[in-house]
Amino acid sequence: MKKIFAVLLLVVMVFGLSACGEEKETELVHIGDSVITQTDLDQYIEFAAFLQGVDLEQIPEDSLATIKQQMLEDMISLDCIEQYYAGKEAEILPDTVEEDLQSFLDEAKSTDTVSDYLTEKNISDETLTKFYYDQYYKDAYLKEVQAGMSDLEQQAQDYYTANKESFKVDEVTASHILLEDEALANEILDKIKAGADFAALAKEYSIDTGTKDNGGSLGSFGRGKMVTEFENAAFALEPGEVSDVVQTQYGYHIIKVTDKENRTKTYEDVRDDIISTIVNTEAQVKIQELESTMDIEYLTDDYAPKAK
């Protein structure tokens, strides 16, 4: 299975992690005979942060406490889903699951960044195996929930109608050349007007290190994403047009717009996203119902919810 690790890294849905080591763990929650420990939770947070490129050290303590609480709830949900499918593993897991799992483990260890992280955090094959299997159970549960929603198409159309304003697109695709000196900016603008290549000049002169190597490309962006002076100039341009020199707090910009879009996305454009939103919302309701049938015991007041 090629690039299976890279694919799984894109999964944003929750996943559980198992504790490593043999020392007595601080137990946080019992779900029937299953246990979630402090090490499980800590590794979950570390691994989730790694996948999403988040620096936990930059998160305030009160915010981190909230994240831990939510992540523990996610882990409980996944554990409940796995118990729900107990005895039905053959229906959930593909015939090639063991070979696919080994490919997943091998690829994880062959990627230097991932391998170094796993070593640093002492994350074992058992931990990765649980993460891998969790994806199948989670996906199976979402499919089961969706299959039980007979009026899903109508719900999606109603959602689109009720939220049509949120599907409006007002954005431009643009590049820029950023300079510290206004005189130099005007010289470069004259060169562009005389036919010089915008991207080549951006690579040579722009002081924006994040965009210069890509010819000054900023990609597409909507209103409210750039400082006011830059936004006003960019949205005033038509595709193919270049601005005059625009001064902002960052310096002097020359802006080129290559595309512009102002429309409302059609239902067909957003149908899949809407259905995913509705199904995930319904799945959360079903998971709460499932959890209410489970014997869940919080062993510390630090993580026990106020109302369960």
Side-chain angles (χ1 to χ4, degrees):
M1 177 175 275
K2 296 181 179 179
K3 302 300 180 186
I4 190 167
F5 188 71
V7 170
L8 284 174
L9 290 186
L10 298 177
V11 178
V12 181
M13 185 67 177
V14 297
F15 49 86
L17 294 174
S18 300
C20 305
E22 299 180 357
E23 294 182 5
K24 180 65 176 178
E25 298 287 357
T26 300
E27 297 182 350
L28 302 180
V29 181
H30 285 177
I31 307 104
D33 294 332
S34 180
V35 179
I36 297 176
T37 69
Q38 185 68 58
T39 298
D40 292 338
L41 178 60
D42 291 342
Q43 288 192 2
Y44 178 101
I45 293 171
E46 290 286 356
F47 200 66
F50 172 76
L51 297 182
Q52 298 180 42
V54 175
D55 183 357
L56 293 177
E57 294 183 357
Q58 300 301 314
I59 299 177
E61 285 191 19
D62 56 341
S63 298
L64 187 57
T66 301
I67 292 170
K68 286 185 177 183
Q69 178 71 61
Q70 183 57 57
M71 286 190 170
L72 180 59
E73 294 303 310
D74 290 344
M75 295 173 73
I76 292 170
S77 297
L78 266 177
D79 201 292
C80 289
I81 290 172
E82 289 188 32
Q83 293 190 40
Y84 172 74
Y85 284 119
K88 301 178 182 179
E89 291 82 2
E91 301 174 22
I92 305 302
L93 305 174
D95 294 338
T96 59
V97 66
E98 292 186 5
E99 293 85 351
D100 295 344
L101 169 61
Q102 191 58 54
S103 295
F104 166 67
L105 294 174
D106 291 344
E107 188 163 351
K109 295 173 184 177
S110 69
T111 306
D112 290 343
T113 301
V114 180
S115 180
D116 291 346
Y117 174 81
L118 297 177
T119 300
E120 178 186 351
K121 301 300 180 181
N122 297 314
I123 296 178
S124 67
D125 285 359
E126 181 182 1
T127 293
L128 295 176
T129 297
K130 185 169 184 353
F131 161 61
Y132 182 83
Y133 277 82
D134 278 345
Q135 310 313 307
Y136 286 105
Y137 291 111
K138 177 263 298 181
D139 289 342
Y141 195 76
L142 287 176
K143 288 176 181 177
E144 182 174 329
V145 169
Q146 182 168 342
M149 300 174 71
S150 59
D151 61 342
L152 182 57
E153 189 67 38
Q154 186 60 54
Q155 286 188 54
Q157 292 175 357
D158 291 345
Y159 183 97
Y160 175 77
T161 300
N163 296 277
K164 205 166 185 178
E165 284 293 315
S166 68
F167 299 116
K168 285 187 175 181
V169 178
D170 185 14
E171 62 182 27
V172 296
T173 303
S175 301
H176 80 143
I177 301 172
L178 176 61
L179 301 135
E180 292 179 322
D181 182 72
E182 184 178 12
L184 178 58
N186 281 303
E187 288 180 19
I188 293 174
L189 180 59
D190 289 340
K191 291 181 180 180
I192 294 170
K193 290 179 177 179
D197 183 73
F198 188 98
L201 290 171
K203 290 180 180 180
E204 183 177 356
Y205 292 103
S206 182
I207 61 172
D208 183 352
T209 57
T211 65
K212 65 178 299 179
D213 290 340
N214 293 321
S217 175
L218 293 162
S220 299
F221 54 90
R223 295 184 184 273
K225 301 297 183 181
M226 302 293 181
V227 293
T228 302
E229 301 90 344
F230 191 100
E231 177 184 301
N232 290 342
F235 278 87
L237 298 171
E238 294 300 322
E241 291 184 340
V242 176
S243 72
D244 292 329
V245 174
V246 178
Q247 183 179 6
T248 72
Q249 66 197 69
Y250 300 105
Y252 298 90
H253 308 256
I254 303 169
I255 307 166
K256 180 178 181 179
V257 167
T258 54
D259 195 12
K260 194 172 187 178
E261 189 173 11
N262 190 334
R263 68 183 182 92
T264 299
K265 293 181 180 179
T266 66
Y267 173 70
E268 288 71 24
D269 289 336
V270 296
R271 175 184 177 277
D272 290 347
D273 289 338
I274 291 175
I275 285 179
S276 178
T277 296
I278 295 173
V279 170
N280 276 286
T281 299
E282 179 66 13
Q284 290 304 312
V285 174
K286 294 297 184 183
I287 288 171
Q288 289 179 8
E289 293 174 358
L290 175 62
E291 290 181 9
S292 71
T293 68
M294 299 285 187
D295 183 14
I296 300 175
E297 180 185 6
Y298 290 83
L299 305 175
T300 169
D301 292 337
D302 292 340
Y303 294 108
K306 294 180 181 179
K308 184 66 178 174

